[in-house]
Coordinates of all heavy atoms in Angstrom, one line a residue:
M231 N -3.2 -15.9 -3.0 CA -4.2 -15.7 -4.1 C -4.3 -14.2 -4.3 O -4.4 -13.4 -3.4 CB -5.5 -16.3 -3.7 CG -6.7 -15.8 -4.6 SD -8.3 -16.4 -4.0 CE -8.2 -18.1 -4.6
K232 N -4.4 -13.8 -5.6 CA -4.6 -12.4 -5.9 C -5.9 -12.2 -6.7 O -6.2 -13.0 -7.6 CB -3.4 -11.9 -6.8 CG -3.6 -10.5 -7.4 CD -2.4 -10.2 -8.3 CE -2.6 -9.0 -9.1 NZ -1.6 -8.7 -10.0
L233 N -6.7 -11.2 -6.3 CA -7.9 -10.9 -7.0 C -7.7 -9.5 -7.7 O -6.9 -8.7 -7.3 CB -9.1 -10.8 -6.1 CG -9.4 -12.1 -5.3 CD1 -10.5 -11.8 -4.3 CD2 -9.8 -13.2 -6.2
K234 N -8.5 -9.3 -8.7 CA -8.4 -8.0 -9.5 C -9.8 -7.5 -9.8 O -10.7 -8.2 -10.2 CB -7.6 -8.3 -10.8 CG -7.4 -7.2 -11.7 CD -6.5 -7.6 -12.9 CE -6.2 -6.5 -13.8 NZ -5.4 -6.9 -14.9
L235 N -9.9 -6.1 -9.7 CA -11.1 -5.4 -10.0 C -10.7 -4.2 -10.9 O -10.0 -3.3 -10.5 CB -11.8 -4.9 -8.8 CG -13.0 -4.0 -9.0 CD1 -14.1 -4.8 -9.7 CD2 -13.5 -3.5 -7.6
D236 N -11.2 -4.2 -12.1 CA -11.0 -3.1 -13.1 C -12.3 -2.3 -13.1 O -13.4 -2.8 -13.5 CB -10.7 -3.7 -14.5 CG -10.2 -2.6 -15.4 OD1 -10.6 -1.5 -15.2 OD2 -9.6 -3.0 -16.4
L237 N -12.2 -1.1 -12.8 CA -13.4 -0.2 -12.7 C -13.6 0.6 -14.0 O -14.5 1.4 -14.0 CB -13.3 0.7 -11.5 CG -13.3 0.1 -10.1 CD1 -13.0 1.1 -9.0 CD2 -14.6 -0.6 -9.9
H238 N -12.9 0.4 -15.0 CA -13.0 1.2 -16.2 C -14.5 1.1 -16.8 O -15.0 2.1 -17.2 CB -12.1 0.7 -17.3 CG -10.7 1.2 -17.1 ND1 -9.7 0.4 -16.6 CD2 -10.1 2.4 -17.3 CE1 -8.6 1.0 -16.5 NE2 -8.8 2.3 -17.0
D239 N -15.1 0.0 -16.8 CA -16.4 -0.2 -17.4 C -17.5 0.4 -16.6 O -18.6 0.7 -17.1 CB -16.7 -1.7 -17.6 CG -15.8 -2.4 -18.6 OD1 -15.3 -1.6 -19.5 OD2 -15.7 -3.6 -18.6
I240 N -17.3 0.7 -15.3 CA -18.4 1.2 -14.5 C -18.0 2.6 -13.8 O -18.7 3.0 -12.9 CB -18.8 0.2 -13.4 CG1 -17.7 -0.2 -12.5 CG2 -19.5 -1.0 -14.0 CD1 -18.1 -1.0 -11.3
F241 N -17.1 3.2 -14.4 CA -16.5 4.5 -13.7 C -17.6 5.5 -13.5 O -17.4 6.4 -12.6 CB -15.4 5.0 -14.6 CG -15.8 5.7 -15.8 CD1 -16.0 7.1 -15.9 CD2 -16.0 5.0 -17.0 CE1 -16.4 7.7 -17.0 CE2 -16.3 5.6 -18.2 CZ -16.6 7.0 -18.2
N242 N -18.7 5.6 -14.3 CA -19.6 6.6 -14.1 C -21.0 6.2 -13.5 O -22.0 6.9 -13.5 CB -19.9 7.3 -15.4 CG -20.5 6.4 -16.5 OD1 -20.5 5.2 -16.2 ND2 -20.9 6.9 -17.6
R243 N -21.0 5.0 -12.9 CA -22.2 4.4 -12.2 C -21.9 4.3 -10.8 O -21.4 3.2 -10.3 CB -22.6 3.1 -12.9 CG -22.9 3.3 -14.4 CD -23.6 2.1 -15.0 NE -22.9 0.9 -14.8 CZ -22.3 0.2 -15.7 NH1 -22.2 0.7 -16.9 NH2 -21.7 -1.0 -15.4
R244 N -22.2 5.3 -10.0 CA -21.9 5.4 -8.6 C -22.3 4.1 -7.8 O -21.4 3.6 -7.0 CB -22.6 6.6 -8.0 CG -22.3 6.9 -6.6 CD -22.9 8.2 -6.1 NE -22.3 8.6 -5.0 CZ -21.9 9.9 -4.7 NH1 -22.3 10.8 -5.6 NH2 -21.3 10.2 -3.6
G245 N -23.5 3.7 -7.8 CA -23.9 2.5 -7.1 C -23.2 1.3 -7.4 O -22.9 0.4 -6.6
D246 N -22.9 1.1 -8.7 CA -22.2 -0.1 -9.2 C -20.8 -0.1 -8.7 O -20.3 -1.2 -8.4 CB -22.2 -0.1 -10.7 CG -23.6 -0.4 -11.3 OD1 -24.5 -0.8 -10.6 OD2 -23.8 -0.2 -12.5
I247 N -20.2 1.0 -8.6 CA -18.8 1.1 -8.1 C -18.7 0.6 -6.6 O -17.9 -0.2 -6.3 CB -18.2 2.5 -8.2 CG1 -18.1 2.9 -9.6 CG2 -16.9 2.7 -7.4 CD1 -17.8 4.4 -9.9
D248 N -19.6 1.1 -5.8 CA -19.7 0.7 -4.4 C -19.9 -0.8 -4.3 O -19.3 -1.5 -3.5 CB -20.7 1.5 -3.6 CG -20.3 2.9 -3.4 OD1 -19.1 3.2 -3.6 OD2 -21.1 3.7 -2.9
R249 N -20.9 -1.3 -5.1 CA -21.2 -2.7 -5.0 C -20.0 -3.6 -5.5 O -19.7 -4.6 -4.9 CB -22.4 -3.0 -5.9 CG -23.7 -2.7 -5.2 CD -24.9 -3.3 -6.0 NE -25.2 -2.5 -7.2 CZ -25.8 -1.3 -7.3 NH1 -26.2 -0.8 -6.2 NH2 -25.9 -0.7 -8.4
A250 N -19.3 -3.1 -6.5 CA -18.2 -3.9 -7.0 C -17.0 -3.9 -6.0 O -16.4 -4.9 -5.8 CB -17.7 -3.3 -8.3
L251 N -16.8 -2.8 -5.3 CA -15.8 -2.7 -4.3 C -16.1 -3.6 -3.1 O -15.3 -4.3 -2.6 CB -15.5 -1.3 -3.9 CG -14.9 -0.3 -4.9 CD1 -15.0 1.1 -4.5 CD2 -13.4 -0.7 -5.1
K252 N -17.3 -3.5 -2.7 CA -17.8 -4.3 -1.5 C -17.7 -5.8 -1.9 O -17.2 -6.6 -1.1 CB -19.2 -4.0 -1.1 CG -19.8 -4.8 0.0 CD -19.2 -4.4 1.3 CE -20.0 -5.0 2.5 NZ -19.3 -6.0 3.1
S253 N -18.1 -6.1 -3.1 CA -18.0 -7.5 -3.6 C -16.6 -8.1 -3.6 O -16.4 -9.2 -3.2 CB -18.7 -7.6 -4.9 OG -18.6 -8.9 -5.4
I254 N -15.7 -7.3 -4.1 CA -14.3 -7.8 -4.2 C -13.6 -7.9 -2.8 O -12.9 -8.9 -2.6 CB -13.4 -6.9 -5.2 CG1 -12.2 -7.7 -5.6 CG2 -13.0 -5.6 -4.6 CD1 -12.4 -8.8 -6.6
I255 N -14.0 -7.0 -1.9 CA -13.4 -7.2 -0.6 C -14.0 -8.4 0.1 O -13.3 -9.2 0.8 CB -13.7 -5.9 0.2 CG1 -13.0 -4.7 -0.4 CG2 -13.3 -6.1 1.7 CD1 -11.4 -4.8 -0.4
D256 N -15.3 -8.6 0.0 CA -16.0 -9.8 0.5 C -15.4 -11.1 0.0 O -15.2 -12.0 0.7 CB -17.5 -9.7 0.3 CG -18.2 -8.7 1.1 OD1 -17.6 -8.1 2.1 OD2 -19.4 -8.4 0.8
E257 N -15.2 -11.1 -1.3 CA -14.6 -12.2 -2.0 C -13.2 -12.5 -1.4 O -12.8 -13.7 -1.2 CB -14.5 -12.0 -3.5 CG -14.0 -13.3 -4.2 CD -14.0 -13.1 -5.7 OE1 -14.5 -12.1 -6.3 OE2 -13.4 -14.0 -6.4
A258 N -12.4 -11.4 -1.3 CA -11.0 -11.6 -0.7 C -11.1 -12.2 0.7 O -10.3 -13.1 1.0 CB -10.3 -10.2 -0.7
V259 N -12.0 -11.8 1.5 CA -12.1 -12.3 2.8 C -12.6 -13.8 2.8 O -12.0 -14.6 3.4 CB -13.1 -11.5 3.7 CG1 -13.5 -12.1 5.0 CG2 -12.6 -10.1 3.9
A260 N -13.6 -14.1 2.0 CA -14.1 -15.4 1.9 C -13.0 -16.4 1.3 O -12.9 -17.5 1.8 CB -15.3 -15.5 0.9
K261 N -12.2 -16.0 0.4 CA -11.2 -16.8 -0.2 C -9.8 -16.7 0.5 O -8.9 -17.3 0.1 CB -11.1 -16.5 -1.7 CG -12.3 -16.9 -2.5 CD -12.1 -16.6 -3.9 CE -13.3 -17.1 -4.7 NZ -13.1 -16.8 -6.2
R262 N -9.8 -15.8 1.5 CA -8.5 -15.5 2.2 C -7.4 -15.1 1.2 O -6.2 -15.6 1.3 CB -8.1 -16.7 3.0 CG -9.1 -17.0 4.1 CD -8.9 -18.2 4.9 NE -7.5 -18.4 5.3 CZ -7.1 -18.4 6.6 NH1 -7.9 -18.4 7.5 NH2 -5.8 -18.6 6.9
A263 N -7.7 -14.2 0.3 CA -6.8 -13.7 -0.7 C -5.8 -12.8 0.1 O -6.1 -12.2 1.1 CB -7.5 -12.9 -1.7
T264 N -4.6 -12.8 -0.4 CA -3.6 -11.9 0.2 C -3.5 -10.5 -0.5 O -2.9 -9.6 0.1 CB -2.2 -12.6 0.2 OG1 -1.9 -12.9 -1.2 CG2 -2.2 -13.8 1.0
L265 N -4.0 -10.4 -1.7 CA -3.9 -9.2 -2.4 C -5.1 -9.0 -3.3 O -5.6 -9.9 -4.0 CB -2.6 -9.2 -3.3 CG -2.3 -8.0 -4.1 CD1 -1.9 -6.8 -3.2 CD2 -1.1 -8.3 -5.1
V266 N -5.6 -7.7 -3.3 CA -6.6 -7.3 -4.3 C -6.0 -6.1 -5.1 O -5.6 -5.1 -4.5 CB -7.9 -6.9 -3.6 CG1 -8.9 -6.3 -4.6 CG2 -8.6 -8.1 -2.9
E267 N -6.0 -6.3 -6.4 CA -5.6 -5.2 -7.2 C -6.8 -4.4 -7.7 O -7.7 -5.1 -8.3 CB -4.8 -5.7 -8.4 CG -4.3 -4.7 -9.4 CD -3.6 -5.3 -10.6 OE1 -3.3 -6.6 -10.6 OE2 -3.3 -4.6 -11.6
I268 N -6.9 -3.2 -7.5 CA -8.0 -2.3 -8.0 C -7.5 -1.3 -9.0 O -6.5 -0.6 -8.7 CB -8.7 -1.6 -6.8 CG1 -9.2 -2.6 -5.8 CG2 -9.8 -0.7 -7.3 CD1 -9.8 -2.0 -4.5
I269 N -8.1 -1.3 -10.1 CA -7.7 -0.4 -11.2 C -8.8 0.6 -11.5 O -9.8 0.4 -12.2 CB -7.4 -1.2 -12.5 CG1 -6.4 -2.3 -12.2 CG2 -7.0 -0.3 -13.6 CD1 -6.1 -3.2 -13.4
P270 N -8.6 1.8 -10.9 CA -9.6 2.9 -11.1 C -9.2 3.6 -12.4 O -10.1 4.4 -12.9 CB -9.5 3.8 -9.9 CG -8.1 3.5 -9.4 CD -7.8 2.1 -9.7
G271 N -8.1 3.4 -12.9 CA -7.6 4.1 -14.1 C -7.0 5.5 -13.7 O -7.1 6.0 -12.6
K272 N -6.4 6.1 -14.7 CA -5.6 7.3 -14.4 C -6.6 8.5 -14.5 O -6.7 9.2 -13.5 CB -4.5 7.5 -15.4 CG -3.4 6.4 -15.2 CD -2.3 6.5 -16.2 CE -1.4 5.4 -16.0 NZ -0.3 5.3 -16.9
G273 N -7.2 8.8 -15.5 CA -8.2 9.9 -15.6 C -7.9 11.1 -14.8 O -6.7 11.5 -14.6
S274 N -8.9 11.7 -14.2 CA -8.7 12.9 -13.4 C -8.3 12.6 -12.0 O -7.9 13.5 -11.2 CB -10.1 13.7 -13.3 OG -11.0 12.9 -12.6
G275 N -8.4 11.4 -11.6 CA -8.1 11.0 -10.2 C -9.3 10.9 -9.3 O -9.2 10.5 -8.1
A276 N -10.4 11.3 -9.8 CA -11.6 11.3 -8.9 C -12.1 9.9 -8.5 O -12.5 9.7 -7.4 CB -12.8 12.1 -9.7
L277 N -12.0 9.0 -9.5 CA -12.4 7.6 -9.1 C -11.4 7.0 -8.1 O -11.9 6.3 -7.2 CB -12.5 6.8 -10.4 CG -13.0 5.3 -10.2 CD1 -14.3 5.3 -9.5 CD2 -13.1 4.7 -11.6
K278 N -10.2 7.3 -8.3 CA -9.2 6.8 -7.3 C -9.5 7.3 -5.9 O -9.4 6.6 -4.9 CB -7.8 7.1 -7.8 CG -6.7 6.6 -6.8 CD -5.3 6.9 -7.4 CE -4.2 6.4 -6.5 NZ -2.9 6.7 -7.1
K279 N -9.8 8.6 -5.8 CA -10.1 9.2 -4.6 C -11.4 8.5 -4.0 O -11.5 8.3 -2.8 CB -10.4 10.7 -4.7 CG -9.1 11.5 -4.9 CD -9.4 12.9 -5.1 CE -8.1 13.7 -5.6 NZ -8.4 15.1 -5.9
R280 N -12.3 8.2 -4.8 CA -13.6 7.6 -4.4 C -13.3 6.2 -3.8 O -13.8 5.8 -2.8 CB -14.6 7.5 -5.5 CG -15.8 6.8 -5.1 CD -16.8 6.7 -6.3 NE -17.9 6.0 -6.0 CZ -19.0 6.5 -5.4 NH1 -19.0 7.8 -5.1 NH2 -20.0 5.7 -5.1
V281 N -12.4 5.5 -4.5 CA -12.0 4.1 -4.0 C -11.3 4.2 -2.7 O -11.6 3.5 -1.8 CB -11.1 3.4 -5.1 CG1 -10.5 2.1 -4.5 CG2 -11.9 3.1 -6.4
L282 N -10.4 5.2 -2.5 CA -9.7 5.4 -1.3 C -10.6 5.7 -0.1 O -10.5 5.3 1.0 CB -8.6 6.4 -1.4 CG -7.4 6.0 -2.3 CD1 -6.5 7.1 -2.6 CD2 -6.6 4.8 -1.6
R283 N -11.6 6.6 -0.4 CA -12.6 6.9 0.6 C -13.4 5.7 1.0 O -13.7 5.4 2.2 CB -13.6 8.0 0.1 CG -13.0 9.4 0.2 CD -14.1 10.4 0.0 NE -14.8 10.3 -1.3 CZ -14.5 10.8 -2.4 NH1 -13.4 11.6 -2.5 NH2 -15.2 10.7 -3.5
F284 N -13.8 4.8 0.0 CA -14.5 3.6 0.3 C -13.7 2.7 1.2 O -14.1 2.2 2.2 CB -14.8 2.8 -1.0 CG -15.5 1.5 -0.8 CD1 -16.8 1.4 -0.6 CD2 -14.7 0.3 -0.6 CE1 -17.4 0.1 -0.4 CE2 -15.3 -0.9 -0.4 CZ -16.6 -1.0 -0.3
L285 N -12.4 2.5 0.9 CA -11.5 1.7 1.7 C -11.2 2.2 3.0 O -10.9 1.5 3.9 CB -10.2 1.5 0.9 CG -10.3 0.7 -0.4 CD1 -8.9 0.8 -1.1 CD2 -10.7 -0.8 -0.1
D286 N -11.4 3.5 3.2 CA -11.1 4.2 4.5 C -12.3 4.1 5.5 O -12.2 4.5 6.6 CB -10.7 5.6 4.3 CG -10.0 6.2 5.5 OD1 -9.2 5.4 6.1 OD2 -10.2 7.4 5.8
Q287 N -13.5 3.5 5.0 CA -14.6 3.3 5.9 C -14.2 2.4 7.1 O -13.6 1.4 6.8 CB -15.8 2.8 5.2 CG -16.4 3.7 4.1 CD -17.5 3.0 3.4 OE1 -18.6 3.0 3.8 NE2 -17.1 2.5 2.3
R288 N -14.6 2.7 8.3 CA -14.2 1.9 9.4 C -14.5 0.4 9.2 O -13.6 -0.5 9.5 CB -15.0 2.4 10.7 CG -14.6 1.6 11.9 CD -15.3 2.0 13.1 NE -14.9 3.4 13.5 CZ -15.4 4.2 14.3 NH1 -16.5 3.8 14.9 NH2 -14.9 5.3 14.6
E289 N -15.7 0.0 8.8 CA -16.0 -1.4 8.7 C -15.3 -2.1 7.5 O -15.0 -3.3 7.6 CB -17.5 -1.6 8.5 CG -18.1 -1.1 7.2 CD -18.5 0.4 7.2 OE1 -18.2 1.1 8.2 OE2 -19.0 0.9 6.2
I290 N -14.8 -1.4 6.5 CA -14.0 -1.9 5.4 C -12.6 -2.0 5.9 O -11.9 -3.0 5.7 CB -14.2 -1.1 4.2 CG1 -15.7 -1.1 3.7 CG2 -13.3 -1.7 3.1 CD1 -16.3 -2.4 3.4
K291 N -12.1 -0.9 6.5 CA -10.7 -0.9 6.9 C -10.3 -2.0 7.9 O -9.2 -2.4 7.9 CB -10.5 0.5 7.6 CG -9.1 0.9 7.6 CD -9.0 2.4 8.1 CE -7.6 2.9 7.9 NZ -7.5 4.3 8.2
A292 N -11.3 -2.4 8.7 CA -11.1 -3.5 9.6 C -10.8 -4.8 9.0 O -10.3 -5.8 9.6 CB -12.3 -3.6 10.6
L293 N -11.1 -5.0 7.7 CA -11.0 -6.2 7.0 C -9.6 -6.4 6.3 O -9.2 -7.6 6.1 CB -12.0 -6.4 5.9 CG -13.5 -6.3 6.4 CD1 -14.4 -6.3 5.2 CD2 -13.8 -7.5 7.3
Y294 N -8.9 -5.4 6.1 CA -7.6 -5.5 5.4 C -6.4 -5.0 6.2 O -6.6 -4.3 7.2 CB -7.6 -4.9 4.0 CG -7.8 -3.4 4.0 CD1 -6.7 -2.5 4.1 CD2 -9.1 -2.8 3.9 CE1 -6.9 -1.1 4.2 CE2 -9.2 -1.4 3.9 CZ -8.1 -0.6 4.0 OH -8.3 0.8 4.1
H295 N -5.2 -5.3 5.7 CA -4.0 -4.9 6.4 C -3.5 -3.5 6.0 O -3.3 -2.6 6.9 CB -2.9 -5.9 6.2 CG -1.6 -5.5 6.7 ND1 -1.3 -5.3 8.1 CD2 -0.4 -5.3 6.1 CE1 -0.1 -5.0 8.2 NE2 0.5 -4.9 7.1
R296 N -3.4 -3.2 4.7 CA -2.9 -1.9 4.3 C -3.2 -1.7 2.8 O -3.5 -2.7 2.1 CB -1.4 -1.8 4.5 CG -0.5 -2.6 3.6 CD 0.9 -2.5 3.9 NE 1.7 -3.4 3.2 CZ 2.3 -3.1 2.0 NH1 2.2 -1.9 1.5 NH2 3.0 -4.0 1.4
V297 N -3.2 -0.5 2.4 CA -3.4 -0.1 1.0 C -2.1 0.5 0.4 O -1.5 1.3 1.1 CB -4.5 1.0 0.8 CG1 -4.6 1.5 -0.6 CG2 -5.9 0.4 1.3
E298 N -1.8 0.1 -0.8 CA -0.5 0.5 -1.4 C -0.9 1.2 -2.7 O -1.6 0.6 -3.5 CB 0.4 -0.7 -1.6 CG 1.6 -0.3 -2.4 CD 2.4 -1.6 -2.8 OE1 2.0 -2.7 -2.5 OE2 3.5 -1.4 -3.4
K299 N -0.4 2.4 -2.9 CA -0.6 3.1 -4.2 C 0.6 2.7 -5.1 O 1.7 2.8 -4.6 CB -0.6 4.6 -4.0 CG -1.8 5.1 -3.2 CD -1.7 6.6 -2.9 CE -2.7 7.0 -2.0 NZ -2.6 8.4 -1.5
D300 N 0.3 2.2 -6.3 CA 1.4 1.7 -7.2 C 2.2 2.9 -7.6 O 1.7 3.9 -8.2 CB 0.7 1.0 -8.4 CG 1.8 0.4 -9.3 OD1 3.0 0.7 -9.2 OD2 1.4 -0.5 -10.1
S301 N 3.5 2.9 -7.3 CA 4.4 4.0 -7.6 C 4.7 4.0 -9.1 O 5.1 5.1 -9.6 CB 5.7 3.9 -6.8 OG 6.3 2.7 -7.1
D302 N 4.5 2.9 -9.8 CA 4.8 2.9 -11.2 C 3.6 3.2 -12.1 O 3.7 3.4 -13.3 CB 5.3 1.5 -11.6 CG 6.7 1.2 -11.0 OD1 7.5 2.2 -10.7 OD2 7.0 0.0 -10.6
N303 N 2.4 3.1 -11.5 CA 1.1 3.2 -12.3 C 0.1 4.0 -11.4 O -0.5 3.4 -10.5 CB 0.6 1.9 -12.7 CG -0.6 2.0 -13.5 OD1 -1.3 3.0 -13.6 ND2 -1.0 0.9 -14.1
F304 N -0.1 5.2 -11.6 CA -1.0 6.1 -10.8 C -2.4 5.5 -10.8 O -3.1 5.7 -9.8 CB -1.0 7.5 -11.4 CG -2.0 8.4 -10.8 CD1 -1.7 9.0 -9.5 CD2 -3.2 8.7 -11.3 CE1 -2.6 9.8 -8.9 CE2 -4.1 9.6 -10.7 CZ -3.8 10.1 -9.5
G305 N -2.8 4.8 -11.8 CA -4.2 4.3 -11.9 C -4.4 2.9 -11.3 O -5.3 2.2 -11.7
R306 N -3.6 2.5 -10.3 CA -3.7 1.2 -9.7 C -3.4 1.2 -8.2 O -2.5 1.9 -7.8 CB -2.7 0.2 -10.4 CG -2.8 -1.2 -9.9 CD -2.1 -2.1 -10.8 NE -0.7 -1.8 -11.0 CZ 0.2 -2.5 -11.7 NH1 -0.2 -3.6 -12.3 NH2 1.4 -2.2 -11.7
L307 N -4.2 0.5 -7.5 CA -4.0 0.4 -6.0 C -4.0 -1.1 -5.7 O -4.6 -2.0 -6.3 CB -5.3 0.9 -5.3 CG -5.6 2.4 -5.5 CD1 -7.0 2.7 -5.0 CD2 -4.6 3.3 -4.8
F308 N -3.3 -1.4 -4.6 CA -3.2 -2.8 -4.1 C -3.7 -2.8 -2.6 O -3.3 -1.9 -1.8 CB -1.8 -3.3 -4.1 CG -1.1 -3.4 -5.4 CD1 -0.2 -2.4 -5.8 CD2 -1.5 -4.4 -6.3 CE1 0.4 -2.5 -7.1 CE2 -0.9 -4.5 -7.6 CZ 0.0 -3.5 -8.0
V309 N -4.6 -3.7 -2.3 CA -5.1 -3.8 -1.0 C -4.5 -5.2 -0.4 O -4.8 -6.2 -1.0 CB -6.7 -3.9 -0.9 CG1 -7.2 -4.0 0.5 CG2 -7.2 -2.6 -1.6
H310 N -3.8 -5.1 0.6 CA -3.1 -6.2 1.2 C -3.9 -6.8 2.4 O -4.3 -6.0 3.2 CB -1.7 -5.8 1.6 CG -0.8 -5.4 0.5 ND1 0.0 -6.3 -0.2 CD2 -0.6 -4.2 -0.1 CE1 0.7 -5.6 -1.1 NE2 0.3 -4.3 -1.1
F311 N -3.9 -8.1 2.5 CA -4.6 -8.8 3.6 C -3.6 -9.7 4.3 O -2.7 -10.2 3.6 CB -5.7 -9.7 3.1 CG -6.9 -8.9 2.5 CD1 -6.8 -8.4 1.2 CD2 -8.0 -8.6 3.2 CE1 -7.8 -7.7 0.6 CE2 -9.1 -7.9 2.6 CZ -9.0 -7.5 1.4
R312 N -3.7 -9.8 5.6 CA -2.9 -10.8 6.3 C -3.9 -11.7 7.0 O -5.0 -11.3 7.5 CB -2.1 -10.1 7.4 CG -0.9 -9.5 6.9 CD 0.0 -9.1 8.1 NE 1.0 -8.2 7.8 CZ 1.7 -7.5 8.6 NH1 1.4 -7.6 9.9 NH2 2.6 -6.6 8.2
W313 N -3.6 -13.0 7.1 CA -4.5 -13.9 7.7 C -3.8 -14.6 8.9 O -2.7 -15.1 8.7 CB -5.0 -15.0 6.7 CG -5.7 -14.2 5.6 CD1 -5.2 -14.0 4.3 CD2 -7.0 -13.6 5.6 NE1 -6.1 -13.3 3.6 CE2 -7.2 -13.0 4.4 CE3 -7.9 -13.5 6.6 CZ2 -8.4 -12.3 4.1 CZ3 -9.1 -12.8 6.3 CH2 -9.3 -12.2 5.1
N314 N -4.5 -14.7 10.0 CA -4.1 -15.4 11.2 C -4.4 -16.9 11.0 O -5.6 -17.2 10.9 CB -4.7 -14.8 12.4 CG -4.2 -15.4 13.7 OD1 -3.9 -16.6 13.7 ND2 -4.2 -14.6 14.7
E315 N -3.4 -17.7 10.9 CA -3.6 -19.1 10.7 C -4.5 -19.8 11.7 O -5.3 -20.7 11.5 CB -2.3 -19.9 10.5 CG -1.5 -19.4 9.3 CD -2.3 -19.5 8.0 OE1 -3.0 -20.5 7.8 OE2 -2.2 -18.6 7.2
S316 N -4.3 -19.4 13.0 CA -5.1 -20.1 14.0 C -6.5 -19.8 14.1 O -7.4 -20.6 14.4 CB -4.4 -19.8 15.4 OG -4.5 -18.4 15.7
T317 N -6.9 -18.5 13.8 CA -8.3 -18.1 13.8 C -8.9 -18.0 12.5 O -10.2 -18.0 12.3 CB -8.5 -16.8 14.6 OG1 -7.8 -15.8 13.8 CG2 -7.9 -16.8 15.9
G318 N -8.1 -17.9 11.4 CA -8.6 -17.7 10.1 C -9.1 -16.2 9.8 O -9.6 -15.9 8.8
R319 N -8.9 -15.4 10.8 CA -9.3 -14.0 10.6 C -8.1 -13.1 10.1 O -7.0 -13.4 10.3 CB -9.7 -13.4 11.9 CG -10.9 -13.9 12.5 CD -11.3 -13.2 13.7 NE -12.6 -13.7 14.2 CZ -13.0 -13.4 15.4 NH1 -12.4 -12.6 16.2 NH2 -14.1 -13.9 15.8
G320 N -8.5 -12.0 9.4 CA -7.5 -11.1 9.0 C -7.0 -10.4 10.2 O -7.6 -10.3 11.3
R321 N -5.8 -9.9 10.1 CA -5.2 -9.2 11.2 C -4.5 -7.9 10.7 O -4.1 -7.9 9.6 CB -4.2 -10.0 12.0 CG -3.1 -10.6 11.2 CD -2.3 -11.6 12.0 NE -1.4 -12.3 11.1 CZ -0.1 -12.4 11.3 NH1 0.4 -12.0 12.4 NH2 0.6 -13.0 10.4
R322 N -4.3 -7.0 11.5 CA -3.7 -5.7 11.2 C -2.3 -5.7 11.5 O -1.7 -6.3 12.1 CB -4.5 -4.6 11.9 CG -5.9 -4.6 11.5 CD -6.6 -3.4 11.8 NE -7.0 -2.9 10.5 CZ -6.8 -1.7 10.0 NH1 -6.3 -0.8 10.7 NH2 -7.2 -1.4 8.8

């Protein structure tokens, strides 16, 4: 399952960005999604940096496997999850 979050509409609302990111990560965990696509857009790169800082928080980082920067599209990130079938938990 793949989930998608486009941040274009809320790029200038700091609190909304954090809530949207937390919500999509929580949804990925609840639904055991394997991939979350996050679109911060190209712009100046500030929003992408903010997203990467959010994902680098210890409690968030523990939930996913890895982050991939799209080499074909600077304004897109992929967050990959792995799920352990026996425990149902994500694994690194």
Side-chain angles (χ1 to χ4, degrees):
M231 168 185 282
K232 175 182 167 184
L233 301 174
K234 183 176 179 179
L235 174 63
D236 188 338
L237 295 173
H238 283 102
D239 292 338
I240 59 173
F241 73 94
N242 61 352
R243 296 192 311 252
R244 184 178 200 138
D246 290 347
I247 292 167
D248 288 347
R249 279 189 290 279
L251 290 167
K252 178 76 169 108
S253 178
I254 199 74
I255 296 297
D256 289 346
E257 183 179 353
V259 170
K261 293 182 177 179
R262 295 172 50 115
T264 56
L265 181 68
V266 171
E267 177 183 354
I268 300 175
I269 303 172
K272 294 179 182 177
S274 68
L277 183 54
K278 182 177 180 179
K279 288 177 188 174
R280 179 181 175 85
V281 170
L282 289 170
R283 280 192 307 271
F284 175 88
L285 293 171
D286 201 38
Q287 295 177 83
R288 179 181 292 168
E289 66 275 8
I290 301 299
K291 201 171 190 176
L293 300 173
Y294 65 85
H295 173 62
R296 70 183 174 96
V297 173
E298 174 188 3
K299 297 174 186 173
D300 188 343
S301 60
D302 295 329
N303 182 347
F304 176 77
R306 182 167 59 178
L307 300 166
F308 298 105
V309 182
H310 297 267
F311 294 81
R312 282 193 197 165
W313 301 105
N314 183 327
E315 295 304 319
S316 62
T317 65
R319 291 187 181 169
R321 58 185 169 132
R322 301 196 116 230

